[in-house]
Amino acid sequence: MVSSALELMMPIVFISENVAAYLIEIFRNNLANLDPKEAEDVDRELQPLFTAIFDDVARKLVKFDGKLVEIGYMLWQMVWCVAGRILTGGSLEAGEKYTDQLADDLDAYFRNEIQMEKYAWRVMKMMSVVYHTVSSVFVVFKDIHQEDYLPLALHYWLLVIYTGCYGFCMAIFGIHFLYRFLAISGYSKILGTFENCYLLIWLLIPPTFGFIWAMTVGICFAPTPETTEKIQESILDSYDLQMSEIVYIAAFIWPRNETTGLRYLNTTPAIGIVIEELIVMTSLAAIFYFGFRCYHKIQEHMKVAVSVSRLTKNLHRQLFYALVMQTAIPIMLLHVPVSGLFMFPILDQDLGFFTGFVTITIALYPAIDPLPTMFVIENYRKAVFDFISTVILCRRKPSQQGELSISTEAISMGAI
């Protein structure tokens, strides 16, 4: 009834040290009372499911190397994910009590048997085995159930344009560091293009990158029936939203073949990720290259100018520290998190709730980026502290002549 190839893939489940069950036999026994034609149809439909169980669950359980109490808790959670939705009345109540009892047993095991007070990381690792079904899907969605006054297609393209703003920012970072390098190096001919009619070309570069990013998202990450089926349970569990109440873009990297149950690479979103990673890497390369050249130019100025004043040397040092911090901030808050968000689905690894960290870092960037200039450059720092002292703390500071004076030489070197 079941193909020999499938039989070779079916795992043997060890119920205890001395008792094991061969799943194919259990499956055959359950189909024994059905009509032969019905049994054959059910068998054909469930073959991909068996492969999925072996590939997604059994392998992860082996790698997890958990104790019996942990494995028992995980297996019950897998059952309860479905049973908790369809049971009612006394059966539901009994299942909930059993779930609570298993949770208490697990807590007692961690606290009493192995003396582990902080075991949240272990539970998270366990649940990553349980909730494995969306591990290869990257999703960005917008809740529209209270905004039905706009057409669905418009909601979708507004979401696409919103994601394109990230590509816009990537281009701005590269141009920003290029301009810094030109200002320090004194390339007046190229620097002059920022002041004449060529400025329009520089201004068109960020929208072009944003357009490429948005079109890549809109075409390569467009919703599909397979993706909708894949993420709908997760969206309902996590956000209590139906698929009709959201618009989304998603990269479903490793879908399953409906006939064989085996995974295959979905080339359309994979190509989209490659294009967007190229944009991120281009921006990152510009930041590193021009940032490194800026550092060397500052060092060259210091070596050539033998008789520079102490104030000028101090200003150069401050500018260098500000450059380092303003290089690290976008890399750590924008480039690395988003690149990781793309890479983990390709590797078929689930980040769980840590994906929310990316939205936090993107939101934090505009607030954090000005801080190096405000607190590293001495004159800006004094102005900020004076403002806090005078306006917020209502402390009046006695005026001192020459306190904010700065040499003409320092001003000329600080025009970056």
Side-chain angles (χ1 to χ4, degrees), residues 7-28:
E7 291 186 14
L8 291 174
M9 291 188 289
M10 294 306 300
I12 298 175
V13 177
F14 286 89
I15 301 174
S16 67
E17 292 184 358
N18 300 318
V19 180
Y22 189 36
L23 285 187
I24 193 66
E25 294 299 330
I26 298 175
F27 179 58
R28 283 172 173 166

Side-chain angles (χ1 to χ4, degrees), residues 334-379:
L334 295 178
H335 294 80
V336 172
V338 171
S339 295
L341 203 61
F342 284 144
M343 288 299 103
F344 275 91
I346 291 178
L347 299 174
D348 198 24
Q349 297 296 315
D350 185 14
L351 287 176
F353 71 88
F354 284 111
T355 52
F357 178 73
V358 178
T359 59
I360 295 173
T361 60
I362 293 175
L364 284 176
Y365 172 75
I368 294 178
D369 185 58
L371 297 184
T373 303
M374 294 170 60
F375 292 103
V376 174
I377 307 299
E378 183 178 5
N379 290 306

Side-chain angles (χ1 to χ4, degrees), residues 131-144:
Y131 298 106
H132 64 281
T133 55
V134 292
S135 59
S136 63
V137 185
F138 163 67
V139 184
V140 176
F141 72 91
K142 181 179 183 295
D143 178 7
I144 62 169

Side-chain angles (χ1 to χ4, degrees), residues 179-192 297 301 415:
Y179 185 83
R180 280 186 170 194
F181 168 68
L182 295 175
I184 293 177
S185 303
Y187 290 118
S188 57
K189 187 175 182 180
I190 303 177
L191 198 59
K297 282 296 179 181
H301 284 313

